[in-house]
C-alpha cells in the first residue's frame, strides 16, 4: 500500500511535512482572500456527486414553482433553504476530508462523525423537499397554476 490514498480525487499528504502557509492578509486584501477561499470551496463542492444531485433537485424545485405559479417569496425561501443545504453539504464534506486525513483506518468515532454529517444533510434535504411539495401542492389544490 505504497500508493497515496485519495479522498474525492484529492491526494492525502502522508509525509506529515508542514505545508506552506500563505501570509495573512489584512483589510481589502483579507476580503478578497476570503472570497477566493469561498470560491475554492464552491469549486470543491461542485466536485461532489451528492451536491450535483442536490443542484439538480433545486432546478426541479424551481421548475415546479414556475409551473405552479409560485409567489416570489416562495422562491426566496426555497433559495435560502438550498443555501442552507449547500452549507451543510460543504461542512459534511469537510468533516469527511478531515476524518479521513486524521484517521485513515476504520474507527467507530470516525463513522459516527461521518454519519452525523450525513444526517445533517438529510435533514436539510428533507426540509427542502417538504417545503417544495407544500408550495406546489397548495397551489395545485387552489387551482392557481399556469397549468390550469
Amino acid at each position: 500500500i505504497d500508493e497515496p490514498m485519495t479522498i474525492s480525487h484529492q491526494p492525502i499528504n502522508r509525509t506529515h511535512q508542514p505545508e506552506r502557509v500563505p501570509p495573512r492578509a489584512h483589510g481589502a486584501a483579507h476580503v478578497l482572500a476570503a472570497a477566493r477561499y469561498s470560491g475554492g470551496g464552491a469549486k470543491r463542492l461542485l466536485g461532489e456527486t451528492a451536491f450535483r444531485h442536490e443542484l439538480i433537485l433545486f432546478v426541479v424545485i424551481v421548475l415546479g414553482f414556475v409551473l405552479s405559479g409560485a409567489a416570489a417569496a416562495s422562491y426566496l425561501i426555497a433559495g435560502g433553504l438550498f443555501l442552507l443545504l449547500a452549507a451543510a453539504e460543504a461542512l459534511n464534506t469537510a468533516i469527511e476530508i478531515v476524518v479521513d486525513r486524521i484517521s485513515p483506518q476504520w474507527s467507530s468515532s470516525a463513522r459516527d462523525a461521518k454519519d452525523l454529517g450525513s444526517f445533517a444533510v438529510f435533514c436539510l434535504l428533507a426540509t427542502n423537499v417538504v417545503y417544495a411539495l407544500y408550495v406546489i401542492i397548495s397551489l395545485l389544490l387552489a387551482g392557481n397554476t399556469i397549468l390550469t
Side-chain angles (χ1 to χ4, degrees):
I1 304 181
D2 291 332
E3 297 179 346
M5 239 175 94
T6 59
I7 300 168
S8 302
H9 314 295
Q10 299 293 326
I12 294 177
N13 178 5
R14 289 217 176 257
T15 62
H16 298 291
Q17 296 173 352
E19 297 180 24
R20 186 180 87 69
V21 178
R24 280 208 177 270
H26 300 282
H30 176 76
V31 173
L32 293 174
R36 276 194 311 276
Y37 299 147
S38 294
K43 182 179 176 183
R44 173 65 178 81
L45 194 57
L46 282 169
E48 291 292 314
T49 302
F51 181 67
R52 291 193 305 269
H53 290 160
E54 292 156 3
L55 272 174
I56 292 168
L57 174 66
F58 183 65
V59 169
V60 169
I61 288 171
V62 169
L63 181 60
F65 281 14
V66 168
L67 294 175
S68 64
S74 297
Y75 287 93
L76 291 174
I77 293 169
L81 287 173
F82 176 74
L83 289 176
L84 288 173
L85 174 61
E89 188 66 56
L91 291 171
N92 183 45
T93 300
I95 289 168
E96 290 181 358
I97 290 169
V98 169
V99 165
D100 288 343
R101 171 75 165 96
I102 293 170
S103 178
Q105 297 82 19
W106 186 92
S107 73
S108 61
S109 59
R111 181 203 60 217
D112 290 345
K114 290 181 173 189
D115 287 352
L116 288 166
S118 293
F119 180 66
V121 171
F122 172 77
C123 288
L124 278 163
L125 188 58
T127 302
N128 275 262
V129 170
V130 167
Y131 176 72
L133 289 174
Y134 169 76
V135 170
I136 293 168
I137 291 171
S138 295
L139 290 168
L140 289 174
L141 291 176
N144 299 336
T145 70
I146 64 171
L147 299 174
T148 58

